[in-house]
Amino acid sequence: MKFLCTLTAGLLAAGHAAAAPNKAADACLKGKKIPASYPGDADYDELAEPFNLRLQYKPAAIVLPETNKHVQDAVICASQCGLKVQAKSGGHSYASFSSGGKNGSMVIDLQPLNSIVLDNTTNIAKVGGGVRLGNLAQGVYDQGKRAISHGTCPGVGIGGHFTHGGYGHTSRNWGIALDHIVGLDVVTADGKLLHATATENTDLFWALRGAAESFGVVTYFYLRTEAAPEVLTYFQFQWGDTLFKDKKAFTDTFLHIQTFSLNASVVDNRISYGIYLDGNATYNLGGTFFGTDKEFNSTILPEFLRGTALPTKIVVQEYAWIPYLILMSDKTTIAEPLTGYDEHDTFFAKSLTVPESSGGLTETTLNAFWDYISTPAPYAYFVIINLYGGPGSAINTKDTSFAAYNDRDSLWVFQNYGTMPTTLEYINGINDVIIEAQPETHFGAYLNYVDPSYTAEEAHELYYGSEVYGRLEGLKSAWDPKMVFWMPQAIGVN
Ligand SMILES: Cc1cc2nc3c(=O)[nH]c(=O)nc-3n(C[C@H](O)[C@H](O)[C@H](O)COP(=O)(O)OP(=O)(O)OC[C@H]3O[C@@H](n4cnc5c(N)ncnc54)[C@H](O)[C@@H]3O)c2cc1C
Ligand SMILES: *[C@@H]1O[C@H](CO)[C@@H](O)[C@H](O)[C@H]1NC(C)=O
Ligand SMILES: *[C@@H]1O[C@H](CO)[C@@H](O)[C@H](O)[C@H]1NC(C)=O
Ligand SMILES: *[C@@H]1O[C@H](CO)[C@@H](O)[C@H](O)[C@H]1NC(C)=O
Ligand SMILES: *[C@@H]1O[C@H](CO)[C@@H](O)[C@H](O)[C@H]1NC(C)=O
Ligand SMILES: *[C@@H]1O[C@H](CO)[C@@H](O)[C@H](O)[C@H]1NC(C)=O
């Protein structure tokens, strides 16, 4: 196979770049009997389809590994034949980077690696890199009534979500999804299979938790689990369109919620929440309390709403763990198919992290935000503003020495999401209006809401900051000098 790839290099130099390298890589993969799908195969189009249909790329090959060895061999083929590689787990990258982020990459689609095994002495789960969040939650619950903190959408994959943060309404209590990782099996650019933990291959362990796609393919995750709570309290306050009609009520309500969020006499690790608002003038605050509805109502609810406009509806309801996850998923089950997943959207989204040290959003900023969103929206969009910081939050008890993940010091994290046909300008405008109103604040961006409209340099600064990025860049040149693992914003791309 090496011969074919060498030949390719010659053809490339002669200017036949388009088809030749694919043939060489195909031959290499076929020679090593690695399961894969190629352009023109019956299953190729469905396998190539990303979650976000706005950005569709055509991989040169989609590898479907059943073993670690398949992944190792595929990475060696790609490296020899000059193909860029990206792992694909749930395929929910907002930028479709798991399709390569360009045409002609090798995608290693981990969906066949779907095992979940809970060790009932350590309570650590070994989980295949292609497992979706709903199946993960159900699996660890069924095997030992265990639970993990992660996002709400059951179709999202472990591979992207856990290596780039992973926020859910249990994160202020248990940490983000990434914090559950105690070990990783990873195939690196030289085709080696390594185990990385806090004491073994420590640099790689640090880098994979924040920038996995630039360092390897994680085939198995080892995850710390928590005892699933017997009961949780879900709460939601709805304001209908009240706050869209009244700037002062909008701003005062947010400012009170922000003061509340920083008030250690009512807020501790047991509570998480986020605000949802959208282009149809909906404004809700929803969240989770690790305790009973009676305790929530007596010690938290009165102070929560003391300084807000009066909600039009209040929901306070106890749930057991799995019914709670189903509620959060907005579906009737959290089980997801192991093959043939076929949910999609067509959208552009971006994020904004608001450092806690800034004190949060100012009155001026909130007024400017209201001015932007209060005029009837020309496009369908929603904004979610999740609480990361505040007293007792398990998210911000760690720092960047723990992992290559840099927005733990956020008070709020915004997600601004527009369903096409929105314009990029409209969604960018939400970010701009906030950033411009608060020039003294150093806003950042959240890795799991990856935004393809940034240049690599902008992305590195917003996601990592210069210190973490500098360390990642050094590790990239040591672990992957040929840039085998590549997408447009990968570590080392200028
Ligand atoms: C409907 C929806 C709901 C969401 N809800 C939440 C939420 O509640 N909270 C939250 O924090 N985020 C949420 N997100 C964002 C989500 O966390 C990210 O999109 C996440 O990165 C998706 O993971 P994935 O495995 O599905 O993506 P993929 O597209 O498969 O992967 C994303 C990136 O990670 C890399 N990668 C994937 N697997 C591996 C691996 N095994 N080894 C190395 N690199 C890998 C890929 O190459 C790609 O660059 C949501 C997204 C969607 C679309
Ligand atoms: C990728 O390939 C598809 C199908 O051949 C093509 O329609 C699309 O324009 C290509 N995209 C880029 C960025 O070249
Ligand atoms: C742990 O798992 C083993 C093997 O599956 C099983 O035999 C044993 O009963 C389990 N122990 C507990 C406490 O669940
Ligand atoms: C914090 O909450 C307590 C109630 O527990 C309340 O009395 C106090 O006024 C709040 N502090 C601020 C700054 O709002
Ligand atoms: C808690 O308060 C809400 C809103 O007032 C109410 O609907 C619910 O019945 C209360 N629950 C308990 C247990 O008091
Ligand atoms: C309002 O909701 C409808 C129905 O869900 C949707 O079609 C429309 O795009 C939304 N409009 C905006 C501006 O969000």
Side-chain angles (χ1 to χ4, degrees), residues 55 57 72 81 87 95 163 191 197 204 207 218 221 329 344 415 439 466 472:
L55 298 163
Y57 302 106
Q72 293 177 265
C81 301
T163 59
T197 68
L204 194 57
V218 176
F221 289 78
S329 77
H344 306 278
Q415 167 170 217
S466 54
L472 283 170

Side-chain angles (χ1 to χ4, degrees), residues 75-276:
V75 169
I76 290 168
C77 286
S79 175
Q80 286 177 353
C81 301
L83 286 188
K84 300 301 182 191
V85 177
Q86 282 291 278
K88 178 173 180 174
S89 179
H92 281 62
S93 168
Y94 285 8
S96 302
F97 284 160
S98 51
S99 302
K102 69 172 179 84
N103 281 348
S105 291
M106 176 187 285
V107 166
I108 301 187
D109 185 333
L110 299 166
Q111 61 178 303
L113 304 185
N114 57 27
S115 60
I116 303 163
V117 180
L118 181 74
D119 178 326
N120 62 12
T121 57
T122 60
N123 284 319
I124 289 172
K126 179 178 179 183
V127 183
V131 169
R132 295 181 193 274
L133 302 184
N135 296 336
L136 171 63
Q138 190 73 55
V140 296
Y141 184 80
D142 290 347
Q143 292 177 42
K145 298 221 165 10
R146 304 298 292 181
I148 295 172
S149 171
H150 50 68
T152 52
C153 180
V156 166
I158 188 174
H161 188 73
F162 275 65
T163 59
H164 298 99
Y167 176 92
H169 285 168
T170 51
S171 295
R172 292 186 76 264
N173 195 22
W174 292 338
I176 51 177
L178 181 150
D179 297 339
H180 287 266
I181 301 173
V182 296
L184 297 166
D185 290 340
V186 59
V187 174
T188 48
D190 53 6
K192 285 209 180 86
L193 175 68
L194 298 176
H195 189 60
T197 68
T199 54
E200 201 178 334
N201 292 309
T202 52
D203 279 353
L204 194 57
F205 188 55
W206 179 82
L208 287 166
R209 292 169 304 144
E213 75 295 327
S214 294
F215 288 89
V217 178
V218 176
T219 55
Y220 289 91
F221 289 78
Y222 299 80
L223 305 173
R224 160 181 74 80
T225 62
E226 300 282 342
E230 298 276 328
V231 62
L232 283 163
T233 296
Y234 169 77
F235 57 92
Q236 191 191 46
F237 313 139
Q238 301 176 6
W239 280 276
D241 65 357
T242 323
L243 302 177
F244 280 80
K245 291 189 194 144
D246 182 341
K247 174 147 95 178
K248 190 170 179 338
F250 175 89
T251 295
D252 288 351
T253 293
F254 192 96
L255 285 175
H256 173 73
I257 291 166
Q258 186 163 273
T259 303
F260 171 86
S261 302
L262 294 166
N263 187 342
S265 75
V266 266
V267 167
D268 62 20
N269 57 303
R270 295 181 300 156
I271 188 168
S272 286
Y273 43 88
I275 290 165
Y276 167 94

Side-chain angles (χ1 to χ4, degrees), residues 223-436:
L223 305 173
R224 160 181 74 80
T225 62
E226 300 282 342
E230 298 276 328
V231 62
L232 283 163
T233 296
Y234 169 77
F235 57 92
Q236 191 191 46
F237 313 139
Q238 301 176 6
W239 280 276
D241 65 357
T242 323
L243 302 177
F244 280 80
K245 291 189 194 144
D246 182 341
K247 174 147 95 178
K248 190 170 179 338
F250 175 89
T251 295
D252 288 351
T253 293
F254 192 96
L255 285 175
H256 173 73
I257 291 166
Q258 186 163 273
T259 303
F260 171 86
S261 302
L262 294 166
N263 187 342
S265 75
V266 266
V267 167
D268 62 20
N269 57 303
R270 295 181 300 156
I271 188 168
S272 286
Y273 43 88
I275 290 165
Y276 167 94
L277 58 91
D278 70 20
N280 280 316
T282 302
Y283 191 108
N284 298 333
L285 183 150
T288 303
F289 173 62
F290 280 77
T292 63
D293 55 1
K294 281 199 187 60
E295 185 182 355
F296 181 83
N297 277 10
S298 64
T299 66
I300 298 173
L301 185 61
E303 179 60 21
F304 217 143
L305 296 175
R306 181 175 59 83
T308 68
L310 195 65
T312 51
K313 188 174 174 194
I314 298 174
V315 177
V316 180
Q317 178 84 47
E318 290 183 348
Y319 286 87
W321 179 241
I322 294 292
Y324 161 78
L325 292 178
I326 294 171
L327 173 80
M328 298 307 286
S329 77
D330 223 4
K331 296 174 129 186
T332 53
T333 171
I334 55 169
E336 291 288 348
L338 297 180
T339 58
Y341 180 87
D342 200 21
E343 284 181 34
H344 306 278
D345 198 1
T346 307
F347 66 100
F348 172 64
K350 62 202 295 129
S351 64
L352 196 64
T353 61
V354 184
E356 184 159 345
S357 58
S358 70
L361 299 177
T362 65
E363 185 179 352
T364 308
T365 306
L366 291 161
N367 284 338
F369 181 32
W370 186 88
D371 288 342
Y372 193 83
I373 62 169
S374 61
T375 49
Y379 306 108
Y381 75 89
F382 66 79
V383 174
I384 294 176
I385 313 167
N386 280 322
L387 180 71
Y388 274 46
S393 174
I395 301 173
N396 57 21
T397 54
K398 296 182 167 68
D399 62 22
T400 54
S401 64
F402 178 75
Y405 180 81
N406 192 33
D407 53 28
R408 294 184 188 276
D409 56 351
S410 303
L411 178 60
W412 303 110
V413 174
F414 275 68
Q415 167 170 217
N416 305 327
Y417 186 113
T419 307
M420 306 312 279
T422 187
T423 62
L424 272 49
E425 287 71 22
Y426 190 76
I427 297 302
N428 281 324
I430 301 175
N431 276 47
D432 292 346
V433 79
I434 294 169
I435 291 168
E436 279 159 23

